[in-house]
Amino acid sequence: GAAGGVGSTIVSLAHSLGATVWGQCGSADKRTALLDQGADEAVVASAQDLADAARDLSPTAVTDPLGGPFTGAALSVLAPDGRLVVFGTSAGSEATLQLQPVYRKSQRIMGYGGGRLSDQKRREDMTEALSALSDGRLRIRIDRTFPLERVNEAFAALSDRSVVGKILLELDPPA
């Protein structure tokens, strides 16, 4: 799910921190966009093909905005002592996991929702994010902008998974 709004931002952020970044996406066009966003490599794979496509990666950290069948596939290639952070379920809210590798490899599965941050921590994080945007360390990919009256088209674009990055809604018409 690295080509979505949050996923593509994570790619940019991890790249800016010097990490080797691999992302998963569903099409060749999205693969190109991920490479442009800073990914070192991008795997075009469905949930069923992800474990085989990523078998040689052995990532130390995986962020999972998709859930469903992608979670088990990501966990199957996670390195010993690796962390899987789940923060979305757009591909499904239930996942089947092989538990033996989790305890044998001391893997950690964590959730992130952001809602538990204190106001102070949220302010600090926002300040750092805006600074990173300002100086170019962080890039937010904008796929397209819709006027508010075309909000249903924006939702359709999200539903048919044709979006790479964020969609913006224009609240006020241009002057």
Side-chain angles (χ1 to χ4, degrees):
V6 176
S8 64
T9 302
I10 290 171
V11 167
S12 176
L13 177 62
H15 173 77
S16 76
L17 295 172
T20 299
V21 182
W22 286 65
Q24 175 276 334
C25 60
S27 70
D29 288 345
K30 290 182 178 183
R31 180 182 186 279
T32 299
L34 283 176
L35 296 173
D36 289 345
Q37 192 69 2
D40 295 284
E41 187 53 75
V43 175
V44 178
S46 66
Q48 294 75 23
D49 300 331
L50 180 58
D52 286 336
R55 181 77 47 215
D56 297 329
L57 299 181
S58 193
T60 57
V62 172
T63 57
D64 179 6
L66 301 175
F70 288 95
T71 302
L75 192 61
S76 74
V77 299
L78 190 64
D81 297 312
R83 296 166 308 238
L84 173 68
V85 181
V86 180
F87 63 90
T89 56
S90 61
S93 61
E94 295 184 13
T96 300
L97 308 175
Q98 297 296 318
L99 294 177
Q100 282 183 333
V102 173
Y103 67 80
R104 288 182 176 168
K105 296 188 331 183
S106 297
Q107 296 171 326
R108 288 164 289 196
I109 303 170
M110 303 169 352
Y112 177 77
R116 298 182 59 179
L117 296 176
S118 69
D119 288 345
Q120 176 65 27
K121 178 65 173 154
R122 191 178 314 279
R123 197 169 10 268
E124 290 168 4
D125 290 351
M126 182 62 71
T127 299
E128 177 58 27
L130 291 172
S131 175
L133 279 168
S134 176
D135 66 24
R137 289 178 290 140
L138 179 62
R139 294 184 306 157
I140 306 294
R141 183 180 175 92
I142 306 300
D143 185 281
R144 56 197 121 146
T145 301
F146 289 91
L148 185 58
E149 63 269 9
R150 292 178 43 207
V151 68
N152 289 338
E153 290 177 51
F155 279 117
L158 289 171
S159 294
D160 71 19
R161 303 184 59 83
S162 66
V163 176
V164 179
K166 293 284 193 185
I167 285 183
L168 299 181
L169 291 177
E170 194 172 80
L171 299 179
D172 295 318

